[in-house]
Amino acid sequence: MHPRKPVIANYKIFVFVGFICTALITSLFVYRTTHHDNMTLVNDENSVVMPVGRDLKSVDLVTTDGDAFTERNLFTHWTLMFFGFTHCNNVCPVTLEMMNKAYPTLHAAMPTLQVVFVSLDPVRDTKVKLSQYTQSFNTNFVGVSGKIESIRKLQSQLGIYSAIDSNTQDSDNYQLQHTSSIMLINPQGKWVAMFKYGLTPKAFEHSVIQAVKAVTKA
């Protein structure tokens, strides 16, 4: 049996769950922004800042150095978290390069900031490959991965969708369709905001700093 088949099947099973989670969360955000302005902390079309942060629990991943990465690693830091994979043709490199350009400004504003890249493709993204990929954008960025089940648990908490592109599923260079938003987690380990894909470094810097200010004051 081809070693990739069980993984592909598992991803297909997860398609509907991920899609439903993402759709529900997006619908809730749109409803709040449209109908309940007092529930939106920042009036910014590039981001959604939640009035109440959501706890992240049972995070059980591993860094490229082989160290455990759990919910404890989210405490005492502002964390920007992005999900992707090293074979990504477009979204991931574009986003990571944008975050690299924005990093000096954001780090100056938040000295404890950590940027975490979570691999959605643990079969191909070995520790060495993930480390080389993440470090190629910024040596301060942290690459993490783990067992499929552990990655999915974190995905489900953040509404992250991922599935193998049906047009490439029979290729060794298969692509993943996945949520391209960047998540912001506060120093208490709560998910507090998300930022859309495609922002310029300056726009991203502004949105993140405004979100942090709003969350801190709330």
Side-chain angles (χ1 to χ4, degrees):
M1 181 179 292
H2 197 291
R4 277 201 299 112
K5 292 301 183 181
V7 175
I8 292 176
N10 287 339
Y11 269 117
K12 287 183 176 180
I13 292 172
F14 190 57
V15 169
F16 293 105
V17 176
F19 178 78
I20 290 172
C21 288
T22 303
L24 286 174
I25 290 174
T26 302
S27 297
L28 177 60
F29 289 161
V30 171
Y31 178 82
R32 284 179 169 178
T33 302
T34 305
H35 297 85
H36 296 277
D37 290 339
N38 63 326
M39 298 181 71
T40 303
L41 296 181
V42 174
N43 183 18
D44 183 349
E45 64 180 7
N46 295 327
S47 66
V48 174
V49 182
M50 291 177 279
V52 179
R54 295 184 57 183
D55 288 317
L56 297 180
K57 302 176 180 178
S58 302
V59 179
D60 183 20
L61 301 176
V62 181
T63 70
T64 55
D65 291 329
D67 299 324
F69 187 91
T70 71
E71 60 271 19
R72 293 178 179 273
N73 294 83
L74 301 175
F75 296 142
T76 73
H77 298 277
W78 284 100
T79 301
L80 288 169
M81 184 175 288
F82 177 67
F83 291 74
F85 60 112
T86 65
H87 288 73
C88 184
N89 288 334
N90 186 24
V91 173
C92 300
V94 167
T95 301
L96 289 170
E97 181 57 30
M98 182 278 292
M99 294 175 76
N100 172 56
K101 291 178 179 178
Y103 182 79
T105 298
L106 294 176
H107 185 260
M110 296 170 284
T112 63
L113 175 67
Q114 64 176 355
V115 177
V116 178
F117 179 63
V118 182
S119 171
L120 296 168
D121 188 13
V123 173
R124 292 183 298 180
D125 289 351
T126 63
K127 291 178 182 177
V128 172
K129 184 173 293 185
L130 181 59
S131 176
Q132 292 174 341
Y133 184 78
T134 307
Q135 297 280 298
S136 70
F137 292 98
N138 191 305
T139 56
N140 293 302
F141 289 3
V142 180
V144 302
S145 188
K147 296 180 179 179
I148 286 288
E149 294 77 10
S150 298
I151 296 170
R152 287 176 179 170
K153 285 180 181 179
L154 182 56
Q155 284 182 253
S156 66
Q157 294 183 73
L158 292 167
I160 300 295
Y161 164 86
S162 68
I164 290 180
D165 187 332
S166 59
N167 294 320
T168 65
Q169 64 182 3
D170 294 325
S171 168
D172 289 335
N173 190 36
Y174 60 87
Q175 293 292 297
L176 299 179
Q177 296 178 340
H178 62 89
T179 300
S180 56
S181 302
I182 300 168
M183 307 301 173
L184 177 66
I185 302 165
N186 72 12
Q188 290 72 50
K190 296 179 183 290
W191 173 34
V192 294
M194 60 190 296
F195 308 93
K196 73 178 185 180
Y197 167 74
L199 298 180
T200 64
K202 290 295 183 183
F204 183 62
E205 291 166 13
H206 175 76
S207 291
V208 172
I209 290 173
Q210 291 303 307
V212 168
K213 287 181 179 178
V215 169
T216 302
K217 290 179 181 178

